[in-house]
Amino acid sequence: MENGFCIWLTGFSGSGKTTIAEKLVEHFKGSRYIETMDGDELRQGLSRDLGFSKEDRNEHNHRVIFCTKLLARNGVIVVVALISPYRETRAYAKEEIPNMMEVFVNAPIDICIERDPKGLYEQALAGEIKNFTGIDDPYEKPLDPDVTVDTHEETVEESVNKILDKARELGYLSGD
């Protein structure tokens, strides 16, 4: 059995985390076990009882960390696409999950607001959504991520290739 590992994508809503996760799944489909832990999807199941306070966000992240750890130790590549706004929580994830790489999906907030694929920024700016990351709740950028992808300057393929190159460099992928 090949070793599992985790690609943890963090960044603002609209930065491109889900798009990159989907491309990574496409890349490995049929050759490796791979699972995506997407924040929006998990909030409809695993964390449907949680809101968006700091405590609830941390609890949501801790649940994802627990599930990711179980999958990764059983040979699965786990792609986590989660805003995960707090450094402390991401540091905890790195402690708990063997072979985890932190990927900062970087796009300036104004670009994310412009993209606004779900209309969430519009609602947050109108005061209809409270504690929205980047509007009235902080996002703590990673200080030393394993990889930074600049989705406002590079194509999805370029971002995915940077992530795969880093996974090879870290020894998570052998003969990919």
Side-chain angles (χ1 to χ4, degrees):
M1 179 170 68
E2 295 184 75
N3 290 331
F5 64 94
C6 170
I7 301 170
W8 189 288
L9 306 168
T10 177
F12 287 125
S13 177
S15 62
K17 298 179 300 298
T18 299
T19 302
I20 290 171
E22 289 169 352
K23 288 290 182 186
L24 286 165
V25 168
E26 263 180 53
H27 177 82
F28 288 107
K29 196 172 186 178
S31 65
R32 292 284 307 263
Y33 292 112
I34 185 164
E35 183 61 57
T36 304
M37 306 286 264
D38 187 86
D40 292 340
E41 187 179 334
L42 294 169
R43 284 219 176 249
Q44 294 173 15
L46 184 67
S47 297
R48 69 174 162 253
D49 59 322
L50 299 175
F52 292 91
S53 68
K54 184 173 183 175
E55 294 75 24
D56 283 356
R57 287 175 188 268
N58 278 333
E59 177 59 27
H60 175 58
N61 281 257
H62 285 187
R63 291 176 186 181
V64 172
I65 290 165
F66 180 79
C67 294
T68 299
K69 184 168 69 172
L70 295 178
L71 290 167
R73 78 178 181 201
N74 284 289
V76 177
I77 298 170
V78 185
V79 181
V80 176
L82 219 56
I83 294 171
S84 48
Y86 309 115
R87 284 186 196 118
E88 181 181 355
T89 308
R90 294 191 305 267
Y92 175 72
K94 268 205 149 178
E95 287 173 21
E96 288 293 306
I97 303 167
N99 300 335
M100 180 190 136
M101 56 189 285
E102 182 182 42
V103 178
F104 178 34
V105 182
N106 183 37
I109 189 76
D110 58 320
I111 298 289
C112 295
I113 290 171
E114 205 175 287
R115 291 176 180 164
D116 202 9
K118 303 167 203 156
L120 298 175
Y121 283 106
E122 187 179 330
Q123 292 176 48
L125 290 167
E128 296 167 15
I129 299 176
K130 300 291 181 200
N131 303 322
F132 196 81
T133 302
I135 302 300
D136 58 352
D137 206 57
Y139 177 78
E140 299 170 353
K141 292 181 180 182
L143 297 176
D144 189 25
D146 295 297
V147 180
T148 297
V149 293
D150 298 303
T151 61
H152 58 297
E153 296 175 342
E154 57 196 42
T155 66
V156 176
E157 288 73 23
E158 288 170 329
S159 296
V160 167
N161 286 334
K162 283 169 73 174
I163 294 166
L164 293 173
D165 287 346
K166 187 65 177 183
R168 285 184 198 96
E169 181 186 319
L170 293 171
Y172 300 162
L173 291 173
S174 51
D176 181 49

